[in-house]
Amino acid sequence: MKKYFNFILVFALVIFAPLVFAACEKSNKNYSISISQAAHGTIETSKSEANSGETIYVTVTPDTGYALEENSLKYNATVIEDLQFTMPEENVVISANFVLRTYSVNYNVNEWTENSN
């Protein structure tokens, strides 16, 4: 009976120990967060490395006269919504494009008012 119990115990350790260690290792894995600096603005994150599943906050500061191009803020190839994302199970590189702000001025030359005093 004792030999049978020892056999079961060894069998269980051989089968389940690698699974337990793999699960523990995976949950403690830190992934890096790198920033690809773009011209005409800066990008900062709340962390430089994180576990998968953590929320990462992004701060984008365009230079004067520039704006963040729509849908250009990304980690790897995924668009970042609402300046935050959930850390995936891989290292990420954050990138963005900044574009020159444009303004439109409407001027109607057909309207003329005369001031008489």
Side-chain angles (χ1 to χ4, degrees):
M1 181 72 168
K2 188 174 181 180
K3 284 184 180 183
Y4 179 71
F5 177 75
N6 287 342
F7 174 76
I8 298 276
L9 182 61
V10 169
F11 179 76
L13 287 174
V14 168
I15 297 298
F16 294 111
L19 298 175
V20 171
F21 287 121
C24 291
E25 182 180 315
K26 189 175 186 179
S27 66
N28 292 329
K29 173 86 170 145
N30 273 340
Y31 296 97
S32 68
I33 302 169
S34 303
I35 297 172
S36 175
Q37 289 298 339
H40 309 297
T42 59
I43 306 165
E44 296 177 333
T45 57
S46 57
K47 295 185 170 204
S48 60
E49 59 181 34
N51 292 323
S52 63
E54 286 188 65
T55 300
I56 307 301
Y57 299 95
V58 182
T59 303
V60 177
T61 308
D63 291 345
T64 301
Y66 288 83
L68 178 65
E69 183 178 15
E70 188 175 346
N71 294 323
S72 73
L73 182 60
K74 299 177 182 179
Y75 71 88
N76 300 345
T78 304
V79 174
I80 297 173
E81 302 281 337
D82 301 322
L83 298 175
Q84 64 183 15
F85 67 95
T86 302
M87 188 69 182
E89 292 183 358
E90 63 182 342
N91 297 330
V92 299
V93 177
I94 298 176
S95 61
N97 294 325
F98 296 94
V99 293
L100 188 62
R101 282 185 184 256
T102 57
Y103 300 93
S104 57
V105 177
N106 296 323
Y107 182 73
N108 188 346
V109 294
N110 293 324
E111 288 186 25
W112 172 261
T113 59
E114 186 175 324
N115 262 341
S116 306
N117 289 332

